[in-house]
Amino acid sequence: MRLAIITNYPISLDRLGDYAYRLIKHFRQNESISEIVLLTNDALEKKGLFFKESGCKIQVKPCWVMNGLLNVFTINRAIKETKPDAVLFDFKKSMFGDNKVANGLGMALPFLCRLKNISNIAVWHEVYDEDQFKSVTKFFVRRLNKLMQLADGIVVTKVSHEQLLKEKYNAKHITFVPQNINIPEAQEVSQLTKLNQISNFGDIIEYTTTEELSRETKELISINKVVDVCMDMFQNIAKEKAYLYEKKVKKFILETS
């Protein structure tokens, strides 16, 4: 499968880049992925890929800029040109910069993929809660959240986001996967538990007890679970589309016979 990944990479001041690095690293080592099409910002040309491990080929296509209002159109054109089998959105509310309009427009990308009949999954790290806003803003936040839910599958990294989407939007094609904890190379979990803190998504998260940190690291230490969940979702999406297509063909045959 040729998988297009839309994310803010390379590693930069935006904490999503660090998560994206590990996400791409593990996706390219999955045996079902033949090629990754990395649709990223133009900063990549200056910084490079950084990958040293063996894995599938990566085609890099810088196709958007930070705070660009036309990003949704340039990314859509890049998807059309590269023709991936599936698309993964690694989305955070500051992914396209600090411009709220640019980020809001980016949330329409799953809908555009749906129009093209391209299987797509959104790894959605930050979900806007419409109740935190008033009047007109609340209306637009609700519409943007619904646009993101037009993805064939959604993975959230916080339990509260899963509850919000299910309770307020009746979302069904959603899976919660714990957020990855970044373990520095050559450092054991036992060493980290002595510090009672750990780097997570670029932030230092404090823990009150060593036992609490040990429990969390066992659950969240690997990003492999995110990749496995996404691959399972892609397979299920493909089966469902094949079933619907077969059903449509049978109906057509019956109507014309």
Side-chain angles (χ1 to χ4, degrees):
M1 180 174 73
R2 294 180 68 250
L3 176 66
I5 299 180
I6 300 171
T7 187
N8 189 0
Y9 184 84
I11 298 172
S12 62
L13 293 177
D14 189 298
R15 291 170 293 170
L16 183 61
D18 186 58
Y19 185 90
Y21 169 75
R22 287 164 174 77
L23 191 68
I24 297 166
K25 175 181 174 180
H26 287 284
F27 261 116
R28 69 188 297 262
Q29 293 176 330
N30 188 288
E31 59 183 15
S32 298
I33 305 294
S34 58
E35 181 180 1
I36 289 177
V37 181
L38 181 56
L39 304 179
T40 188
N41 61 68
D42 59 356
L44 181 62
E45 293 180 327
K46 302 176 182 178
K47 296 188 178 182
L49 282 172
F50 304 113
F51 297 110
K52 297 179 181 179
E53 303 82 8
S54 60
C56 73
K57 174 185 175 183
I58 298 182
Q59 176 187 347
V60 180
K61 193 172 182 62
C63 57
W64 56 273
V65 296
M66 298 299 286
N67 296 318
L69 298 180
L70 298 178
N71 287 338
V72 64
F73 303 106
T74 56
I75 292 173
N76 186 46
R77 185 171 64 231
I79 293 173
K80 182 178 180 181
E81 292 173 352
T82 55
K83 296 180 175 61
D85 300 313
V87 176
L88 181 86
F89 300 99
D90 185 30
F91 191 82
K92 186 168 172 277
K93 65 183 180 183
S94 59
M95 174 176 169
F96 294 110
D98 53 12
N99 187 302
K100 293 181 180 179
V101 176
N103 282 291
L105 290 172
M107 295 174 76
L109 286 166
F111 170 67
L112 295 178
C113 281
R114 191 161 190 155
L115 289 179
K116 296 175 183 292
N117 197 30
I118 300 175
S119 300
N120 64 98
I121 293 173
V123 180
W124 197 356
H125 299 288
E126 292 177 305
V127 180
Y128 294 96
D129 186 350
E130 62 185 79
D131 290 339
Q132 295 177 352
F133 304 92
K134 296 181 180 179
S135 61
V136 177
T137 305
K138 181 176 181 177
F139 171 81
F140 282 110
V141 168
R142 184 170 181 80
R143 292 299 174 272
L144 291 173
N145 281 346
K146 285 189 173 183
L147 276 176
M148 279 292 286
Q149 291 176 69
L150 289 176
D152 293 311
I154 297 173
V155 174
V156 292
T157 54
K158 293 181 180 179
V159 174
S160 58
H161 292 167
E162 180 187 29
Q163 294 172 343
L164 186 153
L165 292 174
K166 286 184 175 180
E167 292 173 4
K168 292 188 178 181
Y169 298 93
N170 196 30
K172 300 185 183 301
H173 54 299
I174 182 170
T175 303
F176 163 68
V177 180
Q179 200 163 268
N180 179 51
I181 284 183
N182 302 329
I183 305 295
E185 292 185 10
Q187 191 164 22
E188 301 292 336
V189 174
S190 59
Q191 294 176 290
L192 291 170
T193 56
K194 295 177 183 178
L195 300 175
N196 280 355
Q197 62 182 31
I198 195 165
S199 173
N200 187 10
F201 225 146
D203 285 341
I204 295 296
I205 293 182
E206 301 266 340
Y207 291 84
T208 55
T209 66
T210 299
E211 291 73 20
E212 182 184 359
L213 178 60
S214 299
R215 183 172 65 252
E216 291 294 324
T217 51
K218 287 179 182 178
E219 293 179 2
L220 311 183
I221 195 170
S222 176
I223 201 170
N224 276 331
K225 187 173 181 180
V226 179
V227 176
D228 291 341
V229 166
C230 287
M231 293 306 299
D232 287 343
M233 291 178 80
F234 276 128
Q235 290 177 3
N236 291 333
I237 291 166
K239 289 178 182 177
E240 183 178 355
K241 287 188 175 183
Y243 169 75
L244 292 175
Y245 177 77
E246 183 180 352
K247 189 176 179 181
K248 188 175 180 180
V249 170
K250 287 182 179 178
K251 183 179 179 182
F252 175 78
I253 292 173
L254 288 173
E255 290 176 348
T256 56
S257 60

